[in-house]
Structures are given as structure tokens and as C-alpha cells.
Amino acid sequence: MAALDELTARAGDTCELCLASRRLHVFPVPPESDESADQSVLICGKCRSQIEDPATMEPEHWAPLGDSMWSQAPAVQVLAWRMLRRLKHETWASDLFDMLYLDDELRAWAELEVEPERPSDDSVEHRDSNGALLATGDTVTLIKDLVVKGGGFTAKRGTAVRNIAVVSDNAAHIEGRVEGQRIVILTEFVKKA
């Protein structure tokens, strides 16, 4: 019960992830939590069910991670990192994930539960102009100048685009950040770095 009291005081009697104030539970952060307040978080039932069953994920529920990811509690930072990574197909979550910094020890803890991505048989393959396979997180280089519609600038040939995201339903599109703006880029105009 001491962990519950400590977590309630730390969280201000709200979910440490989504900021809800109902049905709060102590959640030991897997896989090796000692169930202390330092290795646990106070979360609502909805967060818990979506953490334990990723098939039930509702992206809009996790929007408050933009605030809670800045918590000073390591367990909250780890869970925020994991949830943002699960939601990386959402542009807002990908942007937050890019901003979230974890020191080496916390990142190792966060990655303990990350399963490697396995492409399904019907998954879309993204290939660059040379035929190299592209994946989320790769760095690519533009092979020609690209006018960014609505952006008011031209992305120059040779520009490196780091930490790209593949578009799951279109093999010809990737997303990346150029001059501070997130844009869609055709794979035929990039080469893997």
C-alpha cells in the first residue's frame, strides 16, 4: 500500500499517462519491476487495457502523452516512450517520439519490451531509387530538388532526411522532416544513406 500512497502523491491523484482521474491502479512497468513506486506508475483502467492489449489502441486517448512524457519519474518516461513507439504511424506521436530523450539506462529499460517488427506476408515494401529496402527510422538522401507544395520551399538535392516513417498502405510514399516540416516524399526520389 505504500507504493500506492507514494504514486498517488506523485501523480496528484491522476493517471500519469493520460491524466484521467478515475479507476486508477498501480501498474508495475514490465519486465523486471520490483513493484516499488520508482518502477511503477499510477494509470487508469483504459490505459492499462490498451497497454496490455495493443489491438485495442485508440490513438486519440494517448494525446496527453505530449505533457506526461516530460515527467521526472523514470517509469512514466519509459511507458511514454513505449506507447509513442507503438503509435509511430500517427504523425503527432512520431513527432513526440522524436523529441523524447531517454538516457542510456532508461532507453535500455524501455527497449526491453519492444518486439522486433516482423513484416506480414501482405505488407508493403518500400524501396528507394536503387531498390534498397527502406524501413521506419532509416536515413535517406534526396536525389533531386523537390518543390514542397504548401511548404513554400524547395527541398534541395543531397538533403539528408533522418528518421523517416514508411506509409503503411502506399509503397511509393515515405514521410520525413525537411526544414522543420513533416512532408510526404516519393521513394523514387530518395536513396538510402
Side-chain angles (χ1 to χ4, degrees), residues 87-118:
L87 292 163
K88 66 184 173 193
H89 60 280
E90 300 287 334
T91 303
W92 64 268
S94 180
D95 291 344
L96 291 175
F97 185 78
D98 291 344
M99 288 190 288
L100 183 57
Y101 171 79
L102 299 181
D103 64 36
D104 293 339
E105 185 178 329
L106 283 184
R107 186 164 182 121
W109 181 15
E111 290 174 343
L112 283 176
E113 188 152 279
V114 175
E115 295 179 21
E117 292 183 33
R118 296 181 191 101

Side-chain angles (χ1 to χ4, degrees), residues 23-155:
R23 296 179 42 215
L24 301 176
H25 310 277
V26 174
F27 182 76
V29 179
E32 300 175 4
S33 176
D34 61 7
E35 299 190 18
S36 69
D38 289 339
Q39 294 185 357
S40 300
V41 294
L42 189 65
I43 60 173
C44 68
K46 192 167 188 175
C47 283
R48 183 179 196 126
S49 66
Q50 291 185 42
I51 288 169
E52 293 174 343
D53 184 7
T56 65
M57 291 283 287
E58 298 173 13
E60 62 279 357
H61 174 77
W62 297 98
L65 286 175
D67 292 324
S68 57
M69 70 184 219
W70 303 111
S71 170
Q72 295 300 309
V76 176
Q77 293 173 16
V78 166
L79 271 184
W81 186 92
R82 288 178 183 173
M83 299 316 295
L84 289 171
R85 188 169 193 283
R86 282 187 193 175
L87 292 163
K88 66 184 173 193
H89 60 280
E90 300 287 334
T91 303
W92 64 268
S94 180
D95 291 344
L96 291 175
F97 185 78
D98 291 344
M99 288 190 288
L100 183 57
Y101 171 79
L102 299 181
D103 64 36
D104 293 339
E105 185 178 329
L106 283 184
R107 186 164 182 121
W109 181 15
E111 290 174 343
L112 283 176
E113 188 152 279
V114 175
E115 295 179 21
E117 292 183 33
R118 296 181 191 101
S120 61
D121 294 337
D122 61 346
S123 68
V124 177
E125 286 189 344
H126 294 74
R127 298 201 175 263
D128 72 0
S129 59
N130 296 326
L133 189 62
L134 298 173
T136 296
D138 285 345
T139 297
V140 297
T141 303
L142 301 180
I143 61 170
K144 69 175 270 183
D145 290 353
L146 301 174
V147 176
V148 179
K149 295 178 182 174
F153 68 94
T154 300

Side-chain angles (χ1 to χ4, degrees), residues 5-31:
D5 294 338
E6 193 173 333
L7 288 172
T8 301
R10 178 177 85 193
D13 210 21
T14 61
C15 175
E16 291 186 275
L17 297 178
C18 77
L19 311 176
S21 58
R22 293 182 297 178
R23 296 179 42 215
L24 301 176
H25 310 277
V26 174
F27 182 76
V29 179

